[in-house]
Amino acid sequence: MNQLGWILSLIREYLVPVGCALCGKTFLNGEEAWYGLCQGCRSSLTITGDQPRCSCCGRPLIAEIGRCLPCRNREAPYEEKVDQVVSLFPYSGNYRKLLVSYKFEQYRALGNFLTESLIAGLSRFTAPVLQNPVLVPVPPRPGKIRKTGWDQIDSLGKGLAKAYRKNHSPYLPVHQCLKRLPSPSQKALNQEDRRTNLLGRIRCVKPIPPEVILFDDVITTGSTLNACAAALKTGGARQVYGICLFYT
Ligand SMILES: [Zn+2]
Ligand SMILES: [Zn+2]
């Protein structure tokens, strides 16, 4: 329970009322204001399944083994550098609205819900437990921050580390050791071009820790995560896991 955070959130809500990010309902208590979601909406949002996940994109597998159908269907399989990926929510409906709302100033409280979900997601890794993992946010495209004004991946990563530190040991520090060189936006490319677009475009700019958990908001083909993992392993990382909030 985070009573001080709840009280401050309630005061902020009293001064600048925003209401639930999904249904607009007025908050009834500090807990709702803290998460930016009413109780009803928050309890409707659940991390997908306990079943095994695709090793490439982290979505829950239905009848497949190892990799999901969309990942298998991609032409020319490439070497996977990420040891395991967990992604939490489908990028659609209310889940998609969460991320879109979070990017706006008035719904930053959703970061508390998202970081708590990420902490729950960290327990879904089934591969060997990392002893001293370090959280590495996927680096933004050059110029993106200038355009949007803030780096939500970095902000969520720091929130995750802070929330994690309260209840877990060892501590999960954030280490921004990757840099992305200029390249076209992944969003504008088809699957094949996404895979080659970032080859050699991710650079290690600081010493690389041996155990890394890469963090990104949305995973589509897994190409960005894989390019980051390739750079980390070339730079000396032994194990690289990936956690993403949403899968498309
Ligand atoms: Zn609501
Ligand atoms: Zn997959």
Side-chain angles (χ1 to χ4, degrees), residues 42-105:
R42 187 157 67 94
S43 53
S44 73
L45 301 166
T46 51
I47 295 175
T48 320
D50 239 345
Q51 65 264 52
R53 288 165 189 272
C54 172
S55 61
C56 191
C57 71
R59 81 177 66 228
L61 297 172
I62 300 164
E64 312 100 318
I65 294 171
R67 285 200 288 167
C68 71
L69 221 56
C71 286
R72 278 162 198 246
N73 286 344
R74 270 182 240 126
E75 300 148 45
Y78 64 129
E79 198 189 345
E80 281 177 36
K81 297 289 185 182
V82 193
D83 296 297
Q84 195 177 24
V85 185
V86 166
S87 33
L88 309 184
F89 307 116
Y91 194 49
S92 58
N94 271 348
Y95 293 106
R96 187 187 178 114
K97 199 173 167 188
L98 277 182
L99 187 64
V100 175
S101 302
Y102 173 65
K103 290 179 182 176
F104 297 108
E105 185 72 49

Side-chain angles (χ1 to χ4, degrees), residues 20 22-25 37-38 40-41:
C20 173
L22 297 182
C23 73
K25 210 169 103 182
L37 293 164
C38 73
C41 286

Side-chain angles (χ1 to χ4, degrees), residues 55-56 78-86 125 212 214 219 222-230 233 239-243:
S55 61
C56 191
Y78 64 129
E79 198 189 345
E80 281 177 36
K81 297 289 185 182
V82 193
D83 296 297
Q84 195 177 24
V85 185
V86 166
F125 287 118
V212 171
L214 270 168
I219 188 166
S223 302
T224 305
L225 222 55
N226 208 56
C228 291
K233 287 202 167 166
Q239 279 170 295
V240 180
Y241 291 1
I243 188 151

Side-chain angles (χ1 to χ4, degrees), residues 103 108 137-155 176 180 217:
K103 290 179 182 176
R108 295 280 161 89
V138 166
R141 255 184 323 118
K144 191 185 168 208
I145 307 307
R146 254 197 327 275
K147 211 168 132 197
T148 59
W150 74 305
D151 182 354
Q152 69 263 19
I153 305 297
D154 180 57
S155 183
Q176 287 172 311
R180 195 187 299 208
D217 54 358

